[in-house]
Amino acid sequence: MRQAPGILHLDMDAFYASVEQVAKPSLAGKAVIVGGIGARGVVATASYEARVFGVHSAMSIGEARRRCPNAAFLSPRFSLYRQVSDTVMELLHRLSPLVEPLSLDEAFVDLEAGPHGGTLDTARVTEIAIRLRADIHAATGLTCSVGAATSKLLAKIASEADKPDGLCVVAPGTERAMLDPLPVRALPGVGPATGDVLRRAGLDTVADLAAVDESELVRLLGQAHGHGLHVLAAGLDARPVVADRDAKSVSVEDTFATDLVDRERITRELDRLSARCVERLRAAGRSGRTIVLKLRRYDFSTLTRSETLRGPTDDPTVVRETIRRLAAQVDVTGGVRLLGVGVSGLADFAQQDLFGQAVEAAAEPVEGIDDEPDPQEVRPDPVLVSWSPGQDVVHDEFGPGWVQGSGVGRVTVRFEVPGSKPGRVRTFPIADPALTAADPIPLPAESAV
């Protein structure tokens, strides 16, 4: 057991939605919901102003619109989120070389491995966490919640204790006071099903779990789960902070507004997803041995098929042809609502595949991985320009702005940028040649939500 609360857990508050509130001054303090905007979309993140209406992550967009109809519904802008995440992670690396990112907006930090390691106590950790939160806000305009404790388990629980914009440092010796009153669902690995089993057994709090004999938990949940939960309930967690966690797979997927029923169209979409997957794979400097097809049918049943190659590859032709073979084995009668392509069994090198190269040489010319499929078959007619809510645009006369909405041949744009005052709104013909898509503008330092 550590003698100081040297493990820190950082969680950015409502990250995607908060970034949008900073980037779009007119949305500051308002309900913002980021996610898939189509009929089958789901909520990725909801601002705290939207959460008071019961909107939460993974909820369908349709249900979110019913609960919070006046919210701003925006498509995600992952390139901007990654930029902001990089800024936050850089600040964490100043505290320690041991930073374990869990996602774009969440990470563990082992302070004992950093420059403050020899001087840590509860007061010093609190001082470091206060400064970190101030630095993140100054650099991004965003708030975060920070927990610190002697273990990963307690640090993560502490970061949830006072959200949003919270700070909780669990002093050594006070772990039980933090854990005991919590519901069993607060422990990792306790989902709805496990929670129901424990509740029926009269085990409602972490204190209940800690008091019961381990054999009882093993009887209820099985050997591995029962033992692991008993250890966590006792507050014992020796997991180290692991820097640069290695990705186990690379994948992409798309959900379609209407079910795909044509086999040729499905093949074209899989070719496009294969190209995107290889692009991500190469960007990460990786290759993989196992090619995975994911397919969700009209009735929501989900199938996965995979094939393991002789060696790792990052060859777009090999991935594409493997996915085609896997798809040919699947019955798509009735329609397909989601397609996905993934590569696992990752390695840092690619093995030359002479068979794959022979296939490529014999096949008809194919487009490169950055090219889109035939627009006649997959994309809308170029005249029918499509704008997504929240998308960055620039107008020849009015400058940069973002799309508030579009329909019936027109698009509405609010002209404002991060750090400006709320901007004016103007409406244009949907195919106005003076209006073009643009890259996100970085968040300015010292901005505020």
Side-chain angles (χ1 to χ4, degrees), residues 4 8-9 30 54 77 86 95 124 178 218 222 260 285 300 303 314-315 348-349 354:
L8 180 147
H9 180 261
K30 298 182 180 179
R77 299 187 296 162
D86 288 346
L95 299 178
R124 180 62 175 146
M178 167 69 75
V218 170
L260 306 184
F300 287 88
L303 303 176
D314 63 355
D315 188 318
D348 292 326
F349 66 95
L354 298 179

Side-chain angles (χ1 to χ4, degrees), residues 238-249:
R239 293 174 299 162
V241 175
V242 180
D244 300 323
R245 293 178 58 182
D246 205 13
K248 294 187 170 100
S249 64

